mmCIF file with all atom_site columns, all heavy atoms in Angstrom:
data_model
loop_
_atom_site.group_PDB
_atom_site.id
_atom_site.type_symbol
_atom_site.label_atom_id
_atom_site.label_alt_id
_atom_site.label_comp_id
_atom_site.label_asym_id
_atom_site.label_entity_id
_atom_site.label_seq_id
_atom_site.pdbx_PDB_ins_code
_atom_site.Cartn_x
_atom_site.Cartn_y
_atom_site.Cartn_z
_atom_site.occupancy
_atom_site.B_iso_or_equiv
_atom_site.pdbx_formal_charge
_atom_site.auth_seq_id
_atom_site.auth_comp_id
_atom_site.auth_asym_id
_atom_site.auth_atom_id
_atom_site.pdbx_PDB_model_num
ATOM 1  N N   . ARG A 1 15 ? -28.279 9.031   0.363  1.00 0.00 ? 15 ARG A N   1
ATOM 2  C CA  . ARG A 1 15 ? -28.648 9.374   1.737  1.00 0.00 ? 15 ARG A CA  1
ATOM 3  C C   . ARG A 1 15 ? -29.712 8.546   2.320  1.00 0.00 ? 15 ARG A C   1
ATOM 4  O O   . ARG A 1 15 ? -30.144 8.775   3.467  1.00 0.00 ? 15 ARG A O   1
ATOM 5  C CB  . ARG A 1 15 ? -28.981 10.855  1.794  1.00 0.00 ? 15 ARG A CB  1
ATOM 6  C CG  . ARG A 1 15 ? -27.807 11.787  1.318  1.00 0.00 ? 15 ARG A CG  1
ATOM 7  C CD  . ARG A 1 15 ? -26.564 11.514  2.096  1.00 0.00 ? 15 ARG A CD  1
ATOM 8  N NE  . ARG A 1 15 ? -25.496 12.475  1.896  1.00 0.00 ? 15 ARG A NE  1
ATOM 9  C CZ  . ARG A 1 15 ? -24.379 12.503  2.645  1.00 0.00 ? 15 ARG A CZ  1
ATOM 10 N NH1 . ARG A 1 15 ? -24.241 11.626  3.602  1.00 0.00 ? 15 ARG A NH1 1
ATOM 11 N NH2 . ARG A 1 15 ? -23.456 13.367  2.407  1.00 0.00 ? 15 ARG A NH2 1
ATOM 12 N N   . ARG A 1 16 ? -30.211 7.599   1.564  1.00 0.00 ? 16 ARG A N   1
ATOM 13 C CA  . ARG A 1 16 ? -31.281 6.742   2.107  1.00 0.00 ? 16 ARG A CA  1
ATOM 14 C C   . ARG A 1 16 ? -30.748 5.645   2.973  1.00 0.00 ? 16 ARG A C   1
ATOM 15 O O   . ARG A 1 16 ? -29.630 5.103   2.732  1.00 0.00 ? 16 ARG A O   1
ATOM 16 C CB  . ARG A 1 16 ? -32.103 6.154   0.954  1.00 0.00 ? 16 ARG A CB  1
ATOM 17 C CG  . ARG A 1 16 ? -33.081 7.136   0.358  1.00 0.00 ? 16 ARG A CG  1
ATOM 18 C CD  . ARG A 1 16 ? -33.793 6.568   -0.855 1.00 0.00 ? 16 ARG A CD  1
ATOM 19 N NE  . ARG A 1 16 ? -34.506 5.326   -0.575 1.00 0.00 ? 16 ARG A NE  1
ATOM 20 C CZ  . ARG A 1 16 ? -35.186 4.655   -1.483 1.00 0.00 ? 16 ARG A CZ  1
ATOM 21 N NH1 . ARG A 1 16 ? -35.290 5.122   -2.734 1.00 0.00 ? 16 ARG A NH1 1
ATOM 22 N NH2 . ARG A 1 16 ? -35.806 3.533   -1.186 1.00 0.00 ? 16 ARG A NH2 1
ATOM 23 N N   . VAL A 1 17 ? -31.510 5.254   3.990  1.00 0.00 ? 17 VAL A N   1
ATOM 24 C CA  . VAL A 1 17 ? -31.108 4.153   4.848  1.00 0.00 ? 17 VAL A CA  1
ATOM 25 C C   . VAL A 1 17 ? -31.657 2.846   4.202  1.00 0.00 ? 17 VAL A C   1
ATOM 26 O O   . VAL A 1 17 ? -32.816 2.767   3.865  1.00 0.00 ? 17 VAL A O   1
ATOM 27 C CB  . VAL A 1 17 ? -31.693 4.333   6.274  1.00 0.00 ? 17 VAL A CB  1
ATOM 28 C CG1 . VAL A 1 17 ? -31.351 3.101   7.152  1.00 0.00 ? 17 VAL A CG1 1
ATOM 29 C CG2 . VAL A 1 17 ? -31.122 5.575   6.919  1.00 0.00 ? 17 VAL A CG2 1
ATOM 30 N N   . ALA A 1 18 ? -30.754 1.897   4.003  1.00 0.00 ? 18 ALA A N   1
ATOM 31 C CA  . ALA A 1 18 ? -31.144 0.659   3.326  1.00 0.00 ? 18 ALA A CA  1
ATOM 32 C C   . ALA A 1 18 ? -31.889 -0.278  4.236  1.00 0.00 ? 18 ALA A C   1
ATOM 33 O O   . ALA A 1 18 ? -31.680 -0.280  5.469  1.00 0.00 ? 18 ALA A O   1
ATOM 34 C CB  . ALA A 1 18 ? -29.922 -0.032  2.791  1.00 0.00 ? 18 ALA A CB  1
ATOM 35 N N   . ALA A 1 19 ? -32.772 -1.113  3.662  1.00 0.00 ? 19 ALA A N   1
ATOM 36 C CA  . ALA A 1 19 ? -33.608 -2.045  4.435  1.00 0.00 ? 19 ALA A CA  1
ATOM 37 C C   . ALA A 1 19 ? -32.850 -3.360  4.551  1.00 0.00 ? 19 ALA A C   1
ATOM 38 O O   . ALA A 1 19 ? -32.145 -3.800  3.643  1.00 0.00 ? 19 ALA A O   1
ATOM 39 C CB  . ALA A 1 19 ? -34.915 -2.248  3.709  1.00 0.00 ? 19 ALA A CB  1
ATOM 40 N N   . GLU A 1 20 ? -33.093 -4.049  5.674  1.00 0.00 ? 20 GLU A N   1
ATOM 41 C CA  . GLU A 1 20 ? -32.551 -5.417  5.829  1.00 0.00 ? 20 GLU A CA  1
ATOM 42 C C   . GLU A 1 20 ? -33.180 -6.346  4.824  1.00 0.00 ? 20 GLU A C   1
ATOM 43 O O   . GLU A 1 20 ? -34.264 -6.190  4.360  1.00 0.00 ? 20 GLU A O   1
ATOM 44 C CB  . GLU A 1 20 ? -32.872 -5.955  7.240  1.00 0.00 ? 20 GLU A CB  1
ATOM 45 C CG  . GLU A 1 20 ? -32.043 -5.285  8.310  1.00 0.00 ? 20 GLU A CG  1
ATOM 46 C CD  . GLU A 1 20 ? -31.806 -6.195  9.490  1.00 0.00 ? 20 GLU A CD  1
ATOM 47 O OE1 . GLU A 1 20 ? -32.464 -7.251  9.582  1.00 0.00 ? 20 GLU A OE1 1
ATOM 48 O OE2 . GLU A 1 20 ? -30.987 -5.813  10.290 1.00 0.00 ? 20 GLU A OE2 1
ATOM 49 N N   . ILE A 1 21 ? -32.325 -7.355  4.461  1.00 0.00 ? 21 ILE A N   1
ATOM 50 C CA  . ILE A 1 21 ? -32.777 -8.391  3.558  1.00 0.00 ? 21 ILE A CA  1
ATOM 51 C C   . ILE A 1 21 ? -33.390 -9.522  4.416  1.00 0.00 ? 21 ILE A C   1
ATOM 52 O O   . ILE A 1 21 ? -32.790 -9.937  5.432  1.00 0.00 ? 21 ILE A O   1
ATOM 53 C CB  . ILE A 1 21 ? -31.580 -8.978  2.785  1.00 0.00 ? 21 ILE A CB  1
ATOM 54 C CG1 . ILE A 1 21 ? -30.958 -7.906  1.935  1.00 0.00 ? 21 ILE A CG1 1
ATOM 55 C CG2 . ILE A 1 21 ? -31.986 -10.177 1.981  1.00 0.00 ? 21 ILE A CG2 1
ATOM 56 C CD1 . ILE A 1 21 ? -31.085 -8.063  0.471  1.00 0.00 ? 21 ILE A CD1 1
ATOM 57 N N   . ASP A 1 22 ? -34.533 -10.017 4.022  1.00 0.00 ? 22 ASP A N   1
ATOM 58 C CA  . ASP A 1 22 ? -35.090 -11.210 4.665  1.00 0.00 ? 22 ASP A CA  1
ATOM 59 C C   . ASP A 1 22 ? -34.177 -12.362 4.303  1.00 0.00 ? 22 ASP A C   1
ATOM 60 O O   . ASP A 1 22 ? -33.981 -12.656 3.105  1.00 0.00 ? 22 ASP A O   1
ATOM 61 C CB  . ASP A 1 22 ? -36.502 -11.425 4.084  1.00 0.00 ? 22 ASP A CB  1
ATOM 62 C CG  . ASP A 1 22 ? -37.163 -12.669 4.701  1.00 0.00 ? 22 ASP A CG  1
ATOM 63 O OD1 . ASP A 1 22 ? -36.498 -13.478 5.295  1.00 0.00 ? 22 ASP A OD1 1
ATOM 64 O OD2 . ASP A 1 22 ? -38.380 -12.806 4.499  1.00 0.00 ? 22 ASP A OD2 1
ATOM 65 N N   . PRO A 1 23 ? -33.598 -13.053 5.323  1.00 0.00 ? 23 PRO A N   1
ATOM 66 C CA  . PRO A 1 23 ? -32.682 -14.162 4.964  1.00 0.00 ? 23 PRO A CA  1
ATOM 67 C C   . PRO A 1 23 ? -33.282 -15.193 4.039  1.00 0.00 ? 23 PRO A C   1
ATOM 68 O O   . PRO A 1 23 ? -32.570 -15.823 3.244  1.00 0.00 ? 23 PRO A O   1
ATOM 69 C CB  . PRO A 1 23 ? -32.413 -14.794 6.349  1.00 0.00 ? 23 PRO A CB  1
ATOM 70 C CG  . PRO A 1 23 ? -32.587 -13.625 7.313  1.00 0.00 ? 23 PRO A CG  1
ATOM 71 C CD  . PRO A 1 23 ? -33.726 -12.801 6.769  1.00 0.00 ? 23 PRO A CD  1
ATOM 72 N N   . ALA A 1 24 ? -34.615 -15.373 4.071  1.00 0.00 ? 24 ALA A N   1
ATOM 73 C CA  . ALA A 1 24 ? -35.246 -16.296 3.161  1.00 0.00 ? 24 ALA A CA  1
ATOM 74 C C   . ALA A 1 24 ? -35.149 -15.823 1.698  1.00 0.00 ? 24 ALA A C   1
ATOM 75 O O   . ALA A 1 24 ? -35.318 -16.665 0.764  1.00 0.00 ? 24 ALA A O   1
ATOM 76 C CB  . ALA A 1 24 ? -36.723 -16.504 3.529  1.00 0.00 ? 24 ALA A CB  1
ATOM 77 N N   . GLU A 1 25 ? -34.839 -14.589 1.495  1.00 0.00 ? 25 GLU A N   1
ATOM 78 C CA  . GLU A 1 25 ? -34.734 -14.037 0.143  1.00 0.00 ? 25 GLU A CA  1
ATOM 79 C C   . GLU A 1 25 ? -33.325 -14.113 -0.454 1.00 0.00 ? 25 GLU A C   1
ATOM 80 O O   . GLU A 1 25 ? -33.111 -13.773 -1.649 1.00 0.00 ? 25 GLU A O   1
ATOM 81 C CB  . GLU A 1 25 ? -35.184 -12.564 0.097  1.00 0.00 ? 25 GLU A CB  1
ATOM 82 C CG  . GLU A 1 25 ? -36.619 -12.317 0.483  1.00 0.00 ? 25 GLU A CG  1
ATOM 83 C CD  . GLU A 1 25 ? -37.562 -12.834 -0.597 1.00 0.00 ? 25 GLU A CD  1
ATOM 84 O OE1 . GLU A 1 25 ? -37.294 -12.549 -1.770 1.00 0.00 ? 25 GLU A OE1 1
ATOM 85 O OE2 . GLU A 1 25 ? -38.470 -13.627 -0.245 1.00 0.00 ? 25 GLU A OE2 1
ATOM 86 N N   . ILE A 1 26 ? -32.343 -14.498 0.362  1.00 0.00 ? 26 ILE A N   1
ATOM 87 C CA  . ILE A 1 26 ? -30.933 -14.414 -0.095 1.00 0.00 ? 26 ILE A CA  1
ATOM 88 C C   . ILE A 1 26 ? -30.701 -15.251 -1.310 1.00 0.00 ? 26 ILE A C   1
ATOM 89 O O   . ILE A 1 26 ? -29.953 -14.880 -2.186 1.00 0.00 ? 26 ILE A O   1
ATOM 90 C CB  . ILE A 1 26 ? -29.978 -14.775 1.079  1.00 0.00 ? 26 ILE A CB  1
ATOM 91 C CG1 . ILE A 1 26 ? -30.021 -13.707 2.141  1.00 0.00 ? 26 ILE A CG1 1
ATOM 92 C CG2 . ILE A 1 26 ? -28.559 -15.008 0.555  1.00 0.00 ? 26 ILE A CG2 1
ATOM 93 C CD1 . ILE A 1 26 ? -29.190 -14.022 3.389  1.00 0.00 ? 26 ILE A CD1 1
ATOM 94 N N   . GLY A 1 27 ? -31.335 -16.428 -1.366 1.00 0.00 ? 27 GLY A N   1
ATOM 95 C CA  . GLY A 1 27 ? -31.146 -17.341 -2.464 1.00 0.00 ? 27 GLY A CA  1
ATOM 96 C C   . GLY A 1 27 ? -31.904 -16.953 -3.757 1.00 0.00 ? 27 GLY A C   1
ATOM 97 O O   . GLY A 1 27 ? -31.746 -17.621 -4.776 1.00 0.00 ? 27 GLY A O   1
#
Side-chain angles (χ1 to χ4, degrees):
R15 298 307 189 169
R16 282 176 56 180
V17 176
E20 286 211 348
I21 299 247
D22 178 347
E25 296 291 313
I26 291 174

